[in-house]
Every structure is written in C-alpha cells, then in structure tokens.
Coordinates of all heavy atoms in Angstrom, one line a residue:
A1 N -11.4 -5.8 -1.2 CA -12.2 -5.3 0.0 C -11.3 -5.4 1.3 O -11.2 -4.5 2.0 CB -13.5 -5.9 0.2
V2 N -10.7 -6.5 1.4 CA -9.9 -6.5 2.7 C -8.7 -5.6 2.7 O -8.4 -5.0 3.7 CB -9.4 -8.0 2.8 CG1 -8.4 -8.2 4.0 CG2 -10.5 -9.0 3.0
V3 N -8.0 -5.4 1.4 CA -7.0 -4.5 1.4 C -7.4 -3.1 1.6 O -6.8 -2.4 2.3 CB -6.3 -4.6 0.0 CG1 -5.3 -3.4 -0.3 CG2 -5.7 -5.9 -0.1
R4 N -8.6 -2.7 1.1 CA -9.2 -1.4 1.4 C -9.5 -1.1 2.9 O -9.2 -0.2 3.4 CB -10.3 -1.1 0.6 CG -10.0 -0.8 -0.9 CD -11.3 -0.4 -1.7 NE -12.5 -1.3 -1.7 CZ -12.8 -2.3 -2.4 NH1 -12.0 -2.5 -3.5 NH2 -13.8 -3.0 -2.3
Q5 N -10.1 -2.1 3.6 CA -10.3 -2.1 4.9 C -9.0 -2.0 5.7 O -9.0 -1.2 6.6 CB -11.1 -3.4 5.5 CG -12.6 -3.3 4.8 CD -13.1 -4.7 5.2 OE1 -12.6 -5.6 5.7 NE2 -14.5 -4.8 4.8
S6 N -8.1 -2.8 5.4 CA -6.8 -2.7 6.2 C -6.2 -1.4 5.9 O -5.5 -0.8 6.8 CB -5.8 -3.8 5.7 OG -6.3 -5.0 6.0
A7 N -6.1 -0.9 4.6 CA -5.5 0.4 4.4 C -6.2 1.5 5.1 O -5.6 2.4 5.6 CB -5.6 0.8 2.9
G8 N -7.5 1.4 5.3 CA -8.3 2.4 6.1 C -7.8 2.5 7.5 O -7.9 3.5 8.2
R9 N -7.5 1.3 8.0 CA -7.2 1.3 9.5 C -5.7 2.0 9.7 O -5.4 2.4 10.8 CB -7.1 -0.2 10.0 CG -8.5 -0.8 10.2 CD -8.5 -2.0 11.0 NE -7.8 -3.1 10.3 CZ -8.5 -3.9 9.4 NH1 -9.8 -3.8 9.2 NH2 -7.8 -4.9 8.9
V10 N -4.8 1.9 8.7 CA -3.4 2.3 8.9 C -3.2 3.7 8.1 O -2.1 4.2 8.1 CB -2.3 1.3 8.5 CG1 -2.6 0.1 9.4 CG2 -2.5 0.9 7.0
A11 N -4.2 4.2 7.6 CA -4.0 5.4 6.6 C -3.8 6.6 7.4 O -4.2 6.8 8.6 CB -5.3 5.6 5.8
E12 N -3.2 7.6 6.9 CA -2.9 8.9 7.4 C -3.3 10.0 6.5 O -3.6 9.7 5.3 CB -1.3 9.0 7.7 CG -0.8 8.1 8.6 CD 0.7 8.2 8.7 OE1 1.3 8.9 8.0 OE2 1.3 7.4 9.6
G13 N -3.5 11.1 6.9 CA -4.0 12.3 6.1 C -5.3 12.8 6.4 O -5.8 12.4 7.6
W14 N -5.9 13.7 5.6 CA -7.2 14.1 6.0 C -8.2 13.7 5.0 O -7.9 13.0 3.9 CB -7.0 15.7 5.9 CG -6.4 16.2 4.6 CD1 -7.1 16.5 3.5 CD2 -5.1 16.4 4.2 NE1 -6.2 16.9 2.5 CE2 -5.0 16.9 3.0 CE3 -3.9 16.2 4.9 CZ2 -3.7 17.0 2.3 CZ3 -2.6 16.3 4.3 CH2 -2.6 16.8 3.0
A15 N -9.4 14.0 5.3 CA -10.4 13.4 4.5 C -10.3 13.8 3.1 O -10.0 15.0 2.8 CB -11.9 14.0 5.0
G16 N -10.5 12.9 2.1 CA -10.3 13.2 0.8 C -8.9 13.0 0.3 O -8.6 13.1 -0.9
N17 N -7.9 12.8 1.1 CA -6.5 12.7 0.8 C -5.8 11.8 1.8 O -4.7 12.0 2.2 CB -5.7 14.1 0.8 CG -4.4 14.0 0.1 OD1 -4.2 13.1 -0.8 ND2 -3.5 14.7 0.5
R18 N -6.5 10.7 2.0 CA -5.9 9.7 3.0 C -5.2 8.7 2.2 O -5.7 8.2 1.1 CB -7.0 9.0 3.8 CG -7.6 10.1 4.7 CD -8.5 9.5 5.8 NE -7.7 8.4 6.4 CZ -8.4 7.5 7.1 NH1 -9.7 7.4 7.2 NH2 -7.6 6.5 7.6
K19 N -4.0 8.2 2.7 CA -3.1 7.3 2.1 C -2.6 6.3 3.2 O -2.2 6.8 4.3 CB -2.0 7.9 1.3 CG -2.4 8.8 0.1 CD -1.4 9.5 -0.6 CE -1.3 10.9 -0.5 NZ -0.3 11.6 -1.1
A20 N -2.2 5.1 2.8 CA -1.6 4.2 3.6 C -0.4 3.6 3.0 O -0.5 3.2 1.8 CB -2.6 3.0 4.1
F21 N 0.8 3.6 3.7 CA 1.9 3.1 3.1 C 1.7 1.5 2.8 O 1.1 0.8 3.6 CB 3.1 3.1 4.1 CG 3.8 4.5 4.1 CD1 3.6 5.4 5.1 CD2 4.7 4.8 3.0 CE1 4.2 6.6 5.2 CE2 5.2 6.1 3.0 CZ 5.1 6.9 4.1
I22 N 2.2 1.1 1.7 CA 1.9 -0.3 1.3 C 2.6 -1.2 2.3 O 2.0 -2.2 2.6 CB 2.4 -0.5 -0.2 CG1 1.7 0.2 -1.1 CG2 2.6 -2.0 -0.5 CD1 2.2 0.2 -2.6
S23 N 3.7 -0.9 2.8 CA 4.4 -1.7 3.8 C 3.5 -1.8 5.1 O 3.4 -3.0 5.7 CB 5.8 -1.2 4.2 OG 5.6 0.1 4.7
R24 N 2.8 -0.8 5.4 CA 2.0 -0.9 6.6 C 0.6 -1.8 6.4 O 0.2 -2.5 7.1 CB 1.6 0.5 7.1 CG 2.8 1.2 7.6 CD 2.3 2.6 8.2 NE 3.6 3.4 8.6 CZ 3.6 4.7 8.9 NH1 2.4 5.3 9.0 NH2 4.7 5.2 9.2
V25 N 0.1 -1.5 5.2 CA -1.1 -2.4 4.7 C -0.6 -3.9 4.8 O -1.3 -4.8 5.2 CB -1.5 -2.0 3.4 CG1 -2.7 -2.9 2.9 CG2 -2.1 -0.6 3.4
W26 N 0.6 -4.1 4.2 CA 1.1 -5.5 4.1 C 1.3 -6.2 5.6 O 0.7 -7.2 5.8 CB 2.5 -5.5 3.5 CG 3.3 -6.7 3.8 CD1 4.6 -6.8 4.2 CD2 3.1 -8.0 3.4 NE1 5.1 -8.1 4.3 CE2 4.1 -8.9 3.8 CE3 1.9 -8.7 2.8 CZ2 4.0 -10.4 3.6 CZ3 1.9 -10.1 2.6 CH2 3.1 -10.8 3.0
R27 N 1.7 -5.4 6.5 CA 1.9 -5.9 7.9 C 0.5 -6.1 8.5 O 0.3 -7.1 9.2 CB 2.7 -4.9 8.8 CG 4.2 -5.0 8.4 CD 5.0 -4.3 9.4 NE 5.0 -2.8 9.5 CZ 5.5 -2.1 8.7 NH1 6.5 -2.5 7.7 NH2 5.4 -0.7 8.7
A28 N -0.5 -5.2 8.1 CA -2.0 -5.3 8.8 C -2.5 -6.7 8.1 O -3.1 -7.4 8.9 CB -2.7 -4.1 8.4
I29 N -2.3 -6.8 6.8 CA -2.9 -8.1 6.1 C -2.2 -9.3 6.8 O -2.9 -10.4 7.0 CB -2.5 -8.0 4.7 CG1 -3.4 -6.9 4.0 CG2 -2.9 -9.4 4.0 CD1 -4.8 -7.2 3.9
Q30 N -0.9 -9.3 6.9 CA -0.2 -10.5 7.6 C -0.9 -10.8 9.0 O -1.0 -12.0 9.4 CB 1.3 -10.2 7.9 CG 2.0 -10.4 6.6 CD 3.5 -10.1 7.0 OE1 4.0 -9.0 7.6 NE2 4.4 -11.1 6.7
D31 N -1.2 -9.8 9.8 CA -1.8 -10.0 11.1 C -3.3 -10.5 11.1 O -3.7 -11.4 11.8 CB -1.7 -8.7 11.9 CG -0.3 -8.3 12.3 OD1 0.6 -9.2 12.3 OD2 -0.2 -7.1 12.8
S32 N -4.0 -9.9 10.1 CA -5.4 -10.1 10.0 C -5.8 -11.4 9.1 O -6.8 -11.9 9.3 CB -6.3 -9.0 9.6 OG -5.8 -8.7 8.3
E33 N -4.9 -11.8 8.2 CA -5.2 -12.8 7.2 C -4.1 -13.7 7.1 O -3.6 -14.0 6.0 CB -5.6 -12.1 5.8 CG -6.7 -11.2 5.9 CD -8.1 -11.6 6.3 OE1 -8.3 -12.8 6.0 OE2 -8.8 -10.7 6.7
P34 N -3.7 -14.3 8.1 CA -2.4 -15.3 8.1 C -2.7 -16.5 7.2 O -1.8 -17.0 6.6 CB -2.1 -15.7 9.5 CG -3.4 -15.5 10.2 CD -4.1 -14.3 9.5
H35 N -4.0 -16.8 7.0 CA -4.3 -17.9 6.2 C -4.1 -17.8 4.7 O -4.0 -18.7 4.0 CB -5.8 -18.6 6.5 CG -6.7 -17.4 6.2 ND1 -7.0 -16.3 7.1 CD2 -7.5 -17.2 5.1 CE1 -7.9 -15.5 6.6 NE2 -8.4 -16.1 5.4
W36 N -3.9 -16.5 4.3 CA -3.6 -16.3 2.8 C -2.2 -16.8 2.5 O -2.0 -17.0 1.4 CB -3.7 -14.8 2.7 CG -5.0 -14.2 2.5 CD1 -6.1 -14.8 2.9 CD2 -5.3 -12.9 2.2 NE1 -7.3 -13.8 2.7 CE2 -6.8 -12.7 2.4 CE3 -4.7 -11.7 1.8 CZ2 -7.4 -11.4 1.9 CZ3 -5.3 -10.6 1.5 CH2 -6.7 -10.4 1.6
Q37 N -1.3 -16.8 3.5 CA 0.0 -17.4 3.3 C 0.8 -16.8 2.1 O 1.3 -17.6 1.2 CB 0.0 -18.9 3.1 CG -0.5 -19.5 4.5 CD -0.5 -21.0 4.4 OE1 -0.6 -21.8 3.4 NE2 -0.3 -21.6 5.5
L38 N 0.7 -15.4 2.0 CA 1.3 -14.8 0.8 C 2.8 -14.2 1.3 O 2.8 -13.7 2.5 CB 0.5 -13.5 0.5 CG -0.9 -13.7 -0.1 CD1 -1.5 -12.4 -0.3 CD2 -0.7 -14.4 -1.5
S39 N 3.6 -14.2 0.3 CA 4.9 -13.5 0.5 C 4.7 -12.1 0.2 O 3.6 -11.6 -0.5 CB 5.9 -14.1 -0.4 OG 5.6 -13.8 -1.8
E40 N 5.5 -11.2 0.6 CA 5.4 -9.8 0.3 C 5.5 -9.6 -1.2 O 4.7 -8.6 -1.6 CB 6.6 -9.1 0.9 CG 6.5 -7.6 0.8 CD 7.6 -7.0 1.5 OE1 8.6 -7.5 2.1 OE2 7.7 -5.6 1.5
I41 N 6.3 -10.2 -1.9 CA 6.3 -10.1 -3.4 C 5.0 -10.5 -4.0 O 4.5 -9.7 -4.8 CB 7.4 -10.9 -4.0 CG1 8.8 -10.4 -3.5 CG2 7.3 -11.0 -5.5 CD1 10.0 -11.1 -3.9
E42 N 4.3 -11.6 -3.5 CA 3.1 -12.0 -4.1 C 2.0 -10.9 -3.7 O 1.2 -10.5 -4.6 CB 2.5 -13.3 -3.5 CG 3.4 -14.5 -4.0 CD 3.1 -15.8 -3.2 OE1 2.9 -15.7 -1.9 OE2 3.1 -16.8 -3.8
F43 N 2.0 -10.4 -2.4 CA 1.2 -9.3 -2.0 C 1.3 -8.1 -3.0 O 0.2 -7.6 -3.5 CB 1.3 -9.0 -0.6 CG 0.6 -7.8 -0.2 CD1 -1.0 -7.9 0.0 CD2 1.1 -6.6 0.0 CE1 -1.7 -7.0 0.5 CE2 0.3 -5.5 0.5 CZ -1.1 -5.7 0.7
K44 N 2.5 -7.7 -3.2 CA 2.7 -6.4 -4.0 C 2.2 -6.7 -5.6 O 1.7 -5.8 -6.1 CB 4.2 -6.1 -3.9 CG 4.5 -5.4 -2.6 CD 5.9 -4.9 -2.6 CE 6.3 -4.1 -1.2 NZ 7.5 -3.7 -1.2
C45 N 2.5 -7.9 -6.0 CA 2.0 -8.3 -7.4 C 0.4 -8.2 -7.4 O -0.2 -7.8 -8.4 CB 2.5 -9.7 -7.9 SG 4.2 -9.7 -8.1
M46 N -0.2 -8.7 -6.3 CA -1.6 -8.6 -6.3 C -2.1 -7.2 -6.3 O -3.2 -6.9 -6.9 CB -2.2 -9.4 -5.1 CG -2.0 -10.9 -5.4 SD -2.5 -11.9 -3.8 CE -4.2 -11.7 -3.8
L47 N -1.5 -6.4 -5.5 CA -1.8 -5.0 -5.4 C -1.8 -4.3 -6.8 O -2.6 -3.6 -7.2 CB -0.9 -4.1 -4.5 CG -1.2 -4.4 -3.0 CD1 -0.2 -3.3 -2.3 CD2 -2.5 -4.0 -2.7
T48 N -0.7 -4.6 -7.6 CA -0.5 -3.9 -9.0 C -1.7 -4.4 -9.9 O -2.2 -3.7 -10.6 CB 0.8 -4.1 -9.5 OG1 1.1 -5.6 -9.7 CG2 1.9 -3.4 -8.8
E49 N -2.0 -5.7 -9.7 CA -3.1 -6.3 -10.6 C -4.5 -5.6 -10.2 O -5.3 -5.3 -11.0 CB -3.2 -7.8 -10.4 CG -4.2 -8.4 -11.3 CD -4.2 -8.1 -12.7 OE1 -3.0 -7.9 -13.3 OE2 -5.1 -8.1 -13.5
A50 N -4.7 -5.4 -8.9 CA -5.9 -4.8 -8.4 C -6.0 -3.4 -8.8 O -7.0 -2.9 -9.2 CB -6.1 -4.9 -6.9
H51 N -4.9 -2.7 -8.8 CA -4.8 -1.3 -9.3 C -5.0 -1.3 -10.8 O -5.9 -0.5 -11.2 CB -3.4 -0.8 -9.0 CG -3.1 0.5 -9.6 ND1 -3.6 1.7 -9.1 CD2 -2.4 0.9 -10.8 CE1 -3.3 2.7 -9.9 NE2 -2.5 2.2 -10.8
R52 N -4.5 -2.1 -11.6 CA -4.7 -2.3 -13.0 C -6.3 -2.5 -13.3 O -6.7 -1.9 -14.3 CB -3.8 -3.3 -13.6 CG -4.0 -3.4 -15.3 CD -3.4 -4.6 -15.8 NE -4.3 -5.7 -15.4 CZ -5.4 -6.1 -15.8 NH1 -6.1 -5.2 -16.7 NH2 -6.2 -7.1 -15.5
A53 N -6.7 -3.3 -12.5 CA -8.2 -3.6 -12.7 C -9.2 -2.6 -12.2 O -10.4 -2.7 -12.4 CB -8.5 -4.9 -12.1
G54 N -8.7 -1.6 -11.4 CA -9.4 -0.5 -10.9 C -10.1 -0.7 -9.6 O -10.9 0.0 -9.1
H55 N -9.7 -1.9 -8.9 CA -10.3 -2.2 -7.6 C -9.7 -1.3 -6.4 O -10.4 -1.1 -5.5 CB -10.1 -3.7 -7.3 CG -10.7 -4.6 -8.3 ND1 -12.0 -4.6 -8.5 CD2 -10.1 -5.5 -9.1 CE1 -12.3 -5.4 -9.5 NE2 -11.2 -6.0 -9.8
I56 N -8.4 -0.9 -6.7 CA -7.9 0.0 -5.6 C -7.0 1.0 -6.4 O -6.9 0.9 -7.7 CB -6.9 -0.7 -4.6 CG1 -5.8 -1.4 -5.5 CG2 -7.7 -1.7 -3.7 CD1 -4.7 -2.0 -4.5
V57 N -6.6 2.1 -5.8 CA -5.8 3.1 -6.3 C -4.5 3.2 -5.6 O -4.5 3.4 -4.5 CB -6.5 4.4 -6.4 CG1 -5.6 5.6 -7.0 CG2 -7.8 4.4 -7.2
L58 N -3.4 3.1 -6.3 CA -2.2 3.2 -5.8 C -1.6 4.6 -6.1 O -1.9 5.1 -7.2 CB -1.2 2.1 -6.3 CG -1.5 0.7 -6.0 CD1 -0.5 -0.3 -6.5 CD2 -1.7 0.3 -4.5
S59 N -0.7 5.1 -5.2 CA 0.0 6.4 -5.7 C 1.4 6.4 -5.2 O 1.8 5.6 -4.4 CB -0.9 7.6 -4.9 OG -0.9 7.5 -3.6
N60 N 2.1 7.5 -5.7 CA 3.6 7.5 -5.3 C 3.8 8.6 -4.3 O 3.0 9.5 -4.1 CB 4.4 7.7 -6.5 CG 4.2 9.0 -7.2 OD1 3.1 9.6 -7.0 ND2 5.2 9.5 -7.8
A61 N 4.9 8.4 -3.6 CA 5.3 9.5 -2.6 C 6.2 10.6 -3.3 O 7.3 10.3 -3.7 CB 6.2 8.8 -1.5
D62 N 5.6 11.7 -3.6 CA 6.3 12.7 -4.4 C 7.4 13.3 -3.4 O 8.5 13.5 -4.0 CB 5.3 13.8 -4.8 CG 4.3 13.3 -5.9 OD1 4.7 12.3 -6.6 OD2 3.2 13.9 -6.0
L63 N 7.0 13.6 -2.3 CA 7.9 14.3 -1.4 C 8.4 13.3 -0.3 O 7.5 12.7 0.4 CB 7.3 15.5 -0.7 CG 6.9 16.6 -1.7 CD1 6.0 17.6 -0.8 CD2 7.9 17.3 -2.4
K64 N 9.6 12.9 -0.3 CA 10.2 12.0 0.7 C 10.7 12.7 1.8 O 11.5 13.6 1.7 CB 11.1 11.1 -0.1 CG 10.4 10.3 -1.0 CD 11.4 9.9 -2.2 CE 10.7 9.0 -3.2 NZ 10.2 9.8 -4.3
D65 N 10.4 12.3 2.9 CA 10.7 13.0 4.2 C 11.6 11.9 5.1 O 11.3 10.8 5.0 CB 9.4 13.3 5.0 CG 9.6 14.0 6.3 OD1 10.8 14.0 6.9 OD2 8.7 14.8 6.7
E66 N 12.6 12.4 5.7 CA 13.5 11.6 6.5 C 12.8 10.8 7.6 O 13.2 9.7 7.8 CB 14.6 12.4 7.2 CG 15.6 12.9 6.2 CD 16.7 13.6 6.9 OE1 17.0 13.4 8.2 OE2 17.5 14.4 6.2
R67 N 11.6 11.4 8.1 CA 11.0 10.8 9.0 C 10.2 9.4 8.6 O 10.1 8.5 9.4 CB 9.9 11.6 9.7 CG 10.4 12.8 10.5 CD 9.4 13.9 10.9 NE 8.8 14.4 9.7 CZ 7.7 15.0 9.6 NH1 6.9 15.2 10.6 NH2 7.4 15.6 8.4
N68 N 9.9 9.3 7.3 CA 9.2 8.2 6.8 C 10.0 7.5 5.7 O 9.4 6.8 4.9 CB 7.8 8.5 6.3 CG 7.8 9.5 5.4 OD1 8.7 9.8 4.6 ND2 6.7 10.2 5.3
L69 N 11.3 7.8 5.5 CA 12.1 7.1 4.5 C 12.1 5.6 4.4 O 12.0 5.0 3.5 CB 13.5 7.8 4.5 CG 14.4 7.5 3.3 CD1 13.8 7.9 2.1 CD2 15.8 8.0 3.6
R70 N 12.1 5.0 5.7 CA 12.1 3.5 5.7 C 10.7 3.0 5.2 O 10.7 2.2 4.4 CB 12.4 3.1 7.1 CG 12.3 1.7 7.2 CD 12.7 1.2 8.6 NE 12.7 -0.3 8.6 CZ 12.9 -1.0 9.8 NH1 13.2 -0.3 10.8 NH2 12.9 -2.3 9.6
D71 N 9.6 3.7 5.5 CA 8.3 3.3 5.1 C 8.3 3.5 3.5 O 7.7 2.6 2.8 CB 7.2 4.1 5.7 CG 6.8 3.7 7.1 OD1 6.8 2.5 7.3 OD2 6.6 4.6 7.9
V72 N 8.8 4.5 2.9 CA 8.9 4.7 1.6 C 9.6 3.7 0.8 O 9.1 3.0 -0.1 CB 9.3 6.2 1.2 CG1 9.6 6.3 -0.3 CG2 8.5 7.2 1.7
Q73 N 10.8 3.3 1.4 CA 11.6 2.3 0.7 C 11.0 1.0 0.9 O 10.9 0.2 -0.2 CB 13.0 2.3 1.4 CG 13.8 3.4 1.1 CD 15.1 3.5 2.0 OE1 15.1 3.0 3.0 NE2 16.1 4.3 1.6
E74 N 10.4 0.6 2.0 CA 9.7 -0.7 2.1 C 8.4 -0.9 1.4 O 8.0 -1.9 1.0 CB 9.4 -1.0 3.7 CG 10.7 -1.2 4.4 CD 10.5 -1.4 5.9 OE1 9.2 -1.2 6.3 OE2 11.3 -1.8 6.6
S75 N 7.9 0.2 1.0 CA 6.6 0.3 0.3 C 6.7 0.2 -1.3 O 5.7 0.0 -2.0 CB 5.7 1.5 0.7 OG 5.4 1.4 2.2
A76 N 7.9 0.4 -1.7 CA 8.1 0.7 -3.1 C 7.7 -0.5 -4.0 O 8.0 -1.6 -3.7 CB 9.5 1.0 -3.4
V77 N 6.7 -0.2 -4.9 CA 6.3 -1.3 -5.9 C 6.3 -0.7 -7.3 O 5.7 0.3 -7.5 CB 4.8 -1.6 -5.6 CG1 4.2 -2.5 -6.6 CG2 4.6 -2.2 -4.2
A78 N 7.2 -1.3 -8.1 CA 7.4 -0.8 -9.4 C 6.3 -1.5 -10.4 O 6.1 -2.7 -10.2 CB 8.8 -1.2 -10.0
Y79 N 5.7 -0.6 -11.1 CA 4.7 -1.0 -12.1 C 4.8 -0.3 -13.3 O 4.6 1.0 -13.2 CB 3.3 -0.9 -11.4 CG 2.2 -1.4 -12.3 CD1 2.0 -2.6 -12.8 CD2 1.3 -0.4 -12.9 CE1 1.0 -3.0 -13.6 CE2 0.2 -0.7 -13.7 CZ 0.1 -2.0 -14.1 OH -0.9 -2.5 -15.0
R80 N 5.1 -0.9 -14.5 CA 5.3 -0.1 -15.7 C 6.4 1.0 -15.5 O 7.4 0.7 -15.1 CB 4.0 0.3 -16.2 CG 3.1 -0.7 -16.7 CD 2.0 -0.3 -17.4 NE 1.1 -1.4 -17.8 CZ 0.1 -1.3 -18.6 NH1 -0.2 -0.2 -19.2 NH2 -0.5 -2.4 -18.9
N81 N 6.0 2.3 -15.7 CA 7.0 3.4 -15.5 C 6.7 4.2 -14.3 O 7.3 5.3 -14.2 CB 7.0 4.3 -16.7 CG 7.3 3.7 -18.1 OD1 8.2 2.8 -18.1 ND2 6.7 4.1 -19.2
A82 N 6.2 3.5 -13.2 CA 5.9 4.2 -12.1 C 6.5 3.4 -10.9 O 6.6 2.1 -11.0 CB 4.4 4.4 -11.9
V83 N 6.7 4.1 -9.7 CA 6.8 3.3 -8.6 C 5.8 3.9 -7.4 O 5.7 5.0 -7.2 CB 8.2 3.7 -8.0 CG1 8.5 3.0 -6.7 CG2 9.4 3.2 -8.9
F84 N 5.1 2.9 -6.9 CA 4.0 3.3 -6.0 C 4.4 3.0 -4.6 O 5.2 2.2 -4.4 CB 2.7 2.5 -6.3 CG 2.1 2.8 -7.7 CD1 2.1 1.8 -8.6 CD2 1.6 4.0 -7.9 CE1 1.6 2.1 -9.8 CE2 1.1 4.3 -9.2 CZ 1.1 3.3 -10.2
H85 N 3.9 3.8 -3.6 CA 4.2 3.8 -2.2 C 3.0 3.6 -1.4 O 3.0 3.2 -0.2 CB 5.1 4.9 -1.8 CG 6.4 5.1 -2.6 ND1 6.3 5.9 -3.6 CD2 7.6 4.5 -2.4 CE1 7.7 5.8 -4.1 NE2 8.4 5.0 -3.5
F86 N 1.9 4.1 -1.8 CA 0.6 4.1 -1.0 C -0.6 3.4 -1.7 O -0.7 3.4 -2.9 CB 0.2 5.6 -1.0 CG 1.1 6.6 -0.2 CD1 1.9 7.5 -0.9 CD2 1.3 6.5 1.2 CE1 2.7 8.3 -0.3 CE2 2.1 7.2 1.8 CZ 2.9 8.3 1.1
V87 N -1.6 3.0 -0.8 CA -2.9 2.7 -1.2 C -3.7 3.9 -0.8 O -3.7 4.3 0.4 CB -3.3 1.4 -0.5 CG1 -4.7 1.1 -0.8 CG2 -2.4 0.3 -0.8
R88 N -4.4 4.4 -1.8 CA -5.4 5.6 -1.5 C -6.6 5.0 -0.8 O -7.1 4.0 -1.1 CB -5.7 6.3 -2.8 CG -4.4 7.0 -3.3 CD -4.7 8.2 -4.2 NE -5.9 9.0 -3.8 CZ -5.8 10.2 -3.1 NH1 -4.7 10.6 -2.7 NH2 -6.9 10.9 -2.9
V89 N -7.0 5.8 0.2 CA -8.2 5.5 0.9 C -9.2 6.5 0.7 O -9.1 7.7 1.1 CB -7.9 5.3 2.5 CG1 -9.1 5.0 3.2 CG2 -6.9 4.3 2.7
D90 N -10.2 6.2 0.0 CA -11.3 7.2 -0.2 C -12.5 7.0 0.9 O -12.9 6.0 1.2 CB -12.0 6.8 -1.5 CG -11.1 7.1 -2.7 OD1 -10.2 8.0 -2.5 OD2 -11.1 6.3 -3.7
D91 N -12.7 8.2 1.6 CA -13.6 8.2 2.7 C -15.1 8.4 2.1 O -15.3 8.9 1.2 CB -13.4 9.3 3.7 CG -12.0 9.1 4.4 OD1 -11.6 8.0 4.4 OD2 -11.3 10.0 4.7

C-alpha cells in the first residue's frame, strides 16, 4: 500500500495510463519511510515479489527517450525474462 501511495505521488501520464519510475518511487520511499532501512537492491527485490504476488503491477519502458534515459537506467529491475522500469498507478 505504501509503494502504491508513493508511486501515485510521483506518477506521470494520464488517467488509466499513469506510471511512476521505480527510481523515483525508491527515493520517495527513502524520504517517507527511513525506518524501513532498505537498500535499493532489497527494495527492488521486494517490488518484484509484490508484482509476482499481484499486489502491484510493474511495466517496462518500451520507448526510451533521451530526456528520461537516466530514470530508465536507474529504474531497471530484471525479473525472469523481463526488465521493468515503472510501477503502474491505477486511478
């Protein structure tokens, strides 16, 4: 729930297609939940587990734009045969 709330605060896009870069969600979680004391790797592992369990939905960046290339690179999470960059935010 905290990840979904944090993603909602940093998400971009239009209703029905909002996404938040995983790196931005990670920074928001660090600011709002410092007592979790998670490393970035632990956070990304927890995201993939939450995705696998159906608690959140991760998606990839199909089109990479020079303006957000750093966000794409910092957000990359490999899981099975996919690389995810976003947490989907359903309104």
